[in-house]
Amino acid sequence: MHRVVALFLVPFVLLGALAVGCGGSDDAASSSGGSWSSDALSKSQQQLQAQVIGSQIGKGPARLAFGILKPDPKDPDVASLVHDATAHVTLYKLDGDRGTPAGDFDLTPVQLRENTQHQHTDGTQHLHDDPLATVYVVNTTLDQTDWWGASLDIKIADKEYKGVKLRFFVADKTTEPGIGDSVPAIKQLTTKDVPDVAMIDSSTPPRPQLHNLTVADALQSGKASLIAFATPAFCQTRFCGPVVDSVVAPLQEKYGARMNFLHIEPYKLDEARKGRLIAIPEMAQWGLQSEPWIFVLDANGRVAAKFEGVMSLEEVEPVIQRVLGGQAARN
């Protein structure tokens, strides 16, 4: 059985945090980002940690999402995501413990927010719109299969952290569909196949409008599509429910007349409700090793963009507008 892993459990070494003079004083050491040894990376982690958030990274167009975490001074094994940073990253191609600069980028903060409200004693409703998770994103192209390094300069309020370093591995190809790829034409259960939409949707309440088409149907429609693999009720990362509520549903309301929107639960809900998380076969067919995911497909059924884990409506909507613009131009 294919196992769905939690978002922060990634199959490569994640090391990063505050730099404390990792680079050497000579020009060569400076241009290479200093040493990229495990010891150098460990020394750069004293006050902040940085992680690439995702299950795998592949050669070619890539969305690199960095989580910035601040350890609890009372318990170094506990860290919380930083929501209010500004950050810049320099990427390096690594050769052993040495690096070659491969690009400088300002990182864009992407926040997934959870809208909740509670009632005060006087009967008034108080809406909370707090960030549930924040990542710092750059969309770039990784042209080499091997180990890469990232050195982050981070500013939080009036405090700066220079050279927060980590390594990550770039595979020749990811298991899930890549940018420009066609996707598997799966025939997952839809409202036509079940007497109650709650059998295929753990949202409260369920949204039948997201379960009317199979992926195979969507690919034959000649329309662009958004396909979300997420489980609001049984998410292992706290992000799936808000992804459907805060990203997928609002976009479907706005663009549903022009493109397809599909929500697929990654777990068998009858088993999940008994306390057993068993991935549906379609997860393995798509090569998905985590959840949640959003894939935006163009009218030809090819991946225009993909988002794993933490994403926002503001990040996804421009891709939808782009693929709909291309669709209109062809029509």
Side-chain angles (χ1 to χ4, degrees), residues 223-244:
K223 292 183 177 181
S225 301
L226 181 148
I227 301 173
F229 289 83
T231 179
F234 303 102
C235 185
Q236 297 302 286
T237 60
R238 292 186 65 211
F239 305 145
C240 312
V243 162
V244 176

Side-chain angles (χ1 to χ4, degrees), residues 92-156:
Y92 294 86
K93 298 177 183 179
L94 300 185
D95 181 7
D97 292 342
R98 307 296 291 176
T100 301
D104 290 279
F105 307 94
D106 289 326
L107 296 176
T108 301
V110 171
Q111 289 190 335
L112 181 62
R113 308 183 76 87
E114 186 173 28
N115 296 322
T116 59
Q117 63 181 14
H118 68 267
Q119 183 170 306
H120 289 181
T121 55
D122 63 1
T124 60
Q125 297 290 328
H126 182 196
L127 177 66
H128 287 273
D129 185 27
D130 300 321
L132 177 64
T134 303
V135 293
Y136 300 84
V137 173
V138 60
N139 290 284
T140 186
T141 298
L142 305 173
D143 61 1
Q144 179 175 301
T145 299
D146 209 333
W147 285 95
W148 287 62
S151 179
L152 281 71
D153 292 338
I154 301 166
K155 185 175 182 180
I156 303 172

Side-chain angles (χ1 to χ4, degrees), residues 250-287:
L251 290 173
Q252 191 276 332
E253 290 179 7
K254 187 172 183 178
Y255 298 101
R258 302 171 61 190
M259 63 182 289
N260 307 307
F261 284 81
L262 288 71
H263 166 213
I264 301 172
E265 291 275 347
Y267 302 113
K268 296 180 179 180
L269 290 186
D270 56 341
E271 296 293 336
R273 289 176 174 129
K274 299 174 185 176
R276 298 189 294 268
L277 295 182
I278 301 174
I280 61 172
E282 290 84 353
M283 289 289 285
Q285 293 171 29
W286 272 59

